[in-house]
Amino acid sequence: MEQPAVNDQPRVHQRTTRTIAKPHVMEEWVGKVFTTLCVTVLVVTIAAIVYFVASHGLATFITDGVSLSGLLSGLKWDPEGDIPLYGALPFIFGSFSTSLLAAIIAAPLGVCAAVFMTQIMPGLGKRVLQPVIELLAGIPSVVFGFVGLSIVVPFLRSVFPGQGIGIAAGAIVLSFMILPTITTIATDALSNLQRGLKEGSFALGATRWQTIYRIVIPTTLPSLLTGVVLGMSRAFGEALAVQMVIGNAPHIPHSLFESASTLTSVITLDMGNTITGSTHNNALWSLALILLAMTFIFVFIVRFLERRNNR
Amino acid sequence: MSAKTADRIATAVIVAVSGLIVILLAGLLGYILFRGLPNISFHFLTSGPQTIKAGGGIGPQLFNSLFLLVLTLIITIPVGLGAGIYMSQYAKPGRVTDSIRLIVEVLSSFPSIVVGLFGLLVIVNIFGLGFSLFSGALALTVFNLPLMVRITEQAMNGVAREQKEASLALGLSRWKTITSVMLPIAMPAIVTGTILAAGRVFGEAAALLFTAGMSSPRLDFTNWNPLSPFSPLNPFRPAETLAVHIWKINSEGLAPDATQIAAGASAVLIIMVLIFNFSARWFGRYLHRKFTATK
């Protein structure tokens, strides 16, 4: 890890606080305690979330005797059957395939938009494209779900065989939702690029496109990937928009246009119908634990990429 | 193919893709407004929902959304400001600060449904608050806090160092410097960020399904006693927000005009979000003019 910069936060402050009059010391103390308390609230909250999700999620394996490999690789989810089955592979598959597909759709679009805004027409990009992307970021997920149900699903139904609902519909809706994330981060990365690199390339007689794909994209690749991973992480955790268009059938679909489920959609649908402490309920918490674990993995991938970028 | 032709083709492709994004979003907004606006009327905005009959409105849901937003901001703003100020001014560079920063990052990328589950278990059941506006506000606080912390931290870091040092040199304490000198300068950025975050809170539904509940009691808008279970002002009653309502009628709506209601409610939601967006920009610029004497 790189050494943090020590030069700001001048040392002088400590000396002044020691010599100032008493009410000021009190004031300083109040401020310090208040802000520290606020940070403590934050830390306690995350600790509590991890603790409670983990304790309920692990109870499935410890007290209810469901095997971990059975949950991760089981193909059949039937918690209310005579022999309850807790195979979550279809949901895990659904979550990964929708978010991956969404990233595959959104990444080229987002990078194109960022290149447009920084390299090709910065003026028009700032005035038109950037506000458009920011607006897109503000649209609530249920509205995306509603639009998905009323445009994307009927469209897929008319073009491809099947009902229209399924992984493809989910991925299209999600790609819209993560486009702003990818674009914003890519734009930041591209505009922070050292001027010299680009100018050097132009000076050697390279065209703009050669400069973009030989110089600009390779240098900023870790940052671009950061955006894609963050977008995927958002797609992975999105619940309602996906649940509305994916169809919610608990099995691995044979095509992209067949009803499927994700981790979030099954939690959304089943949580209200189970009793706290029952095996079914705990199994849902295990799914939430998988979501949580994936969040951590995504954050660590992002950190890894950022560190590579800073080097 | 010569390099020049490749350059022209690539430029054309990039411009076309960017144009496509703009057209798609314009189409999206246009579609929502075009489908929704004909359904919006005074009656629709003020009357209660119907379960099986046509002609239901979204009055209580709209009120709940706004009330919940206010409650959430009342909790989030002081805590978020405090934590953000800590991160930018008090935290010493080192292992502890790094891990707090990691925590904020992790918390901001938690799936909202997991936050909702946590709310169901801890706030609703263990704290015994039940499905209520207050539980919903706490869950949304968890969801909104990291954003607020980041906004404050960035805004405070953006304050010129000379200004801070001048204040300290005059003998003001650090806290006084922060509240009286730095905070006013950082205010435009904080306000803009807060309003944008508020727009996000307004449309959030997954975290509220299991905390604020999916039903609303019959509200009596003439009853202003906050302790009565039928008063709209009571923060301890279950409350279905607009976003949750859209989800519910899309997935299990029985009313014959469910699609129209969903379209109308989506349009209302989008209009509210647009208002948040534009007011954030406008208000930020206004404050900036007011505080910094720039024209």
Side-chain angles (χ1 to χ4, degrees):
Chain A
M1 266 179 77
E2 83 274 51
Q3 273 297 319
V6 211
N7 54 350
D8 31 84
Q9 303 288 336
R11 289 282 157 80
V12 194
H13 302 171
Q14 288 162 9
R15 223 175 302 150
T16 45
T17 27
R18 221 178 295 144
T19 49
I20 48 176
K22 257 210 159 137
H24 286 205
V25 177
M26 268 305 284
E27 197 178 75
E28 182 61 27
W29 189 78
V30 167
K32 231 176 205 166
V33 169
F34 170 68
T35 52
T36 314
L37 261 181
C38 292
V39 169
T40 318
V41 167
L42 210 68
V43 176
V44 168
T45 308
I46 194 164
I49 294 181
V50 173
Y51 169 75
F52 280 106
V53 173
S55 67
H56 276 68
L58 293 177
T60 323
F61 313 117
I62 297 164
T63 50
D64 300 327
V66 177
S67 75
L68 176 64
S69 58
L71 186 94
L72 290 180
S73 62
L75 287 170
K76 205 159 163 52
W77 175 264
D78 186 15
E80 303 295 327
D82 292 332
I83 310 157
L85 289 168
Y86 300 98
L89 190 63
F91 310 136
I92 298 171
F93 173 81
S95 280
F96 272 103
S97 53
T98 43
S99 47
L100 252 177
L101 256 183
I104 290 172
I105 301 172
L109 295 180
V111 174
C112 268
V115 168
F116 180 82
M117 272 193 274
T118 54
Q119 316 288 328
I120 296 186
M121 295 181 192
L124 197 65
K126 273 243 151 50
R127 258 183 297 123
V128 181
L129 201 52
Q130 193 158 16
V132 161
I133 298 285
E134 278 167 20
L135 274 185
L136 196 60
I139 295 180
S141 60
V142 281
V143 174
F144 276 114
F146 169 70
V147 173
L149 262 186
S150 42
I151 301 179
V152 178
V153 171
F155 172 75
L156 291 177
R157 184 161 48 211
S158 63
V159 176
F160 298 100
Q163 289 293 308
I165 48 179
I167 287 175
I172 291 173
V173 169
L174 281 176
S175 64
F176 266 90
M177 298 185 64
I178 66 175
L179 186 60
T181 316
I182 296 178
T183 313
T184 318
I185 293 174
T187 311
D188 284 350
L190 292 183
S191 51
N192 287 336
L193 189 73
Q194 284 170 14
R195 284 180 63 98
L197 279 177
K198 240 174 81 184
E199 281 165 5
S201 165
F202 283 137
L204 287 172
T207 62
R208 182 163 58 193
W209 170 241
Q210 281 170 335
T211 310
I212 290 172
Y213 89 98
R214 290 263 167 82
I215 308 286
V216 176
I217 302 276
T219 346
T220 51
L221 197 60
S223 304
L224 300 181
L225 283 178
T226 306
V228 175
V229 174
L230 277 177
M232 265 190 75
S233 130
R234 202 180 151 199
F236 202 84
E238 174 51 45
L240 300 187
V242 183
Q243 186 271 330
M244 282 159 93
V245 297
I246 202 163
N248 304 306
H251 55 70
I252 294 182
H254 300 292
S255 82
L256 291 178
F257 310 101
E258 202 176 289
S259 180
S261 278
T262 63
L263 291 167
T264 47
S265 73
V266 72
I267 295 174
T268 314
L269 284 181
D270 287 7
M271 204 57 175
N273 312 324
T274 57
I275 307 146
T276 315
S278 64
T279 313
H280 187 179
N281 186 278
N282 283 341
L284 293 176
W285 280 98
S286 305
L287 300 186
L289 187 60
I290 297 176
L291 277 177
L292 208 60
M294 281 311 299
T295 310
F296 279 99
I297 292 174
F298 280 127
V299 168
F300 281 112
I301 296 176
V302 166
R303 291 228 138 190
F304 172 76
L305 287 170
E306 272 170 355
R307 205 168 300 161
R308 285 213 38 182
N309 201 28
N310 287 338
R311 211 159 35 187
Chain B
M1 190 165 60
S2 77
K4 280 226 167 107
T5 331
D7 182 48
R8 270 196 212 112
I9 294 172
T11 308
V13 168
I14 292 170
V15 172
V17 168
S18 309
L20 185 75
I21 293 175
V22 174
I23 292 171
L24 276 179
L25 183 93
L28 194 72
L29 281 184
Y31 175 81
I32 296 166
L33 295 178
F34 180 73
R35 279 278 308 268
L37 281 181
N39 300 309
I40 298 176
S41 62
F42 183 71
H43 173 79
F44 180 70
L45 290 178
T46 51
S47 62
Q50 300 283 348
T51 33
I52 36 177
K53 275 190 299 182
I58 52 161
Q61 280 78 17
L62 192 56
F63 177 82
N64 287 340
S65 285
L66 291 170
F67 191 26
L68 189 65
L69 179 63
V70 172
L71 276 179
T72 310
L73 289 183
I74 289 176
I75 309 171
T76 319
I77 289 178
V79 181
L81 275 182
I85 289 173
Y86 180 90
M87 294 303 290
S88 86
Q89 303 298 318
Y90 287 106
K92 296 184 187 69
R95 211 161 258 279
V96 180
T97 309
D98 280 349
S99 48
I100 296 177
R101 197 154 277 142
L102 177 68
I103 283 178
V104 175
E105 205 177 317
V106 169
L107 195 58
S108 71
S109 47
F110 266 3
S112 54
I113 185 87
V114 173
V115 174
L117 287 187
F118 169 73
L120 171 69
L121 185 71
V122 174
I123 304 167
V124 174
N125 290 337
I126 297 182
F127 289 176
L129 288 170
F131 289 126
S132 67
L133 274 170
F134 195 65
S135 310
L138 286 178
L140 285 184
T141 301
V142 173
F143 174 73
N144 203 17
L145 205 52
L147 206 65
M148 198 64 216
V149 172
R150 199 175 305 161
I151 292 163
T152 314
E153 194 187 343
Q154 272 169 8
M156 293 298 278
N157 285 341
V159 176
R161 226 175 100 189
E162 289 79 8
Q163 233 147 350
K164 181 182 163 191
E165 284 173 359
S167 163
L168 290 169
L170 287 172
L172 267 68
S173 70
R174 250 163 116 183
W175 181 241
K176 190 75 186 163
T177 304
I178 290 168
T179 50
S180 314
V181 177
M182 301 181 71
L183 215 49
I185 301 172
M187 203 42 97
I190 295 178
V191 168
T192 312
T194 310
I195 300 177
L196 286 177
R200 237 184 70 167
V201 165
F202 198 80
E204 176 53 37
L208 292 175
L209 288 181
F210 305 124
T211 49
M214 287 188 252
S215 63
S216 213
R218 283 245 159 259
L219 295 180
D220 179 6
F221 278 89
T222 53
N223 183 348
W224 294 103
N225 173 12
L227 297 176
S228 149
F230 300 108
S231 164
L233 288 181
N234 182 356
F236 297 103
R237 64 182 171 83
E240 180 194 36
T241 65
L242 197 54
V244 174
H245 189 62
I246 294 175
W247 178 75
K248 204 173 89 176
I249 45 183
N250 265 314
S251 51
E252 51 194 49
L254 293 173
D257 57 350
T259 342
Q260 280 93 321
I261 294 176
S266 300
V268 172
L269 205 55
I270 286 289
I271 292 170
M272 294 299 292
V273 169
L274 289 181
I275 292 175
F276 278 118
N277 250 297
F278 288 120
S279 63
R281 278 160 211 272
W282 176 81
F283 203 58
R285 270 206 299 273
Y286 168 79
L287 283 179
H288 187 73
R289 267 206 310 277
K290 192 122 192 177
F291 286 163
T292 56
T294 35
K295 288 250 163 69

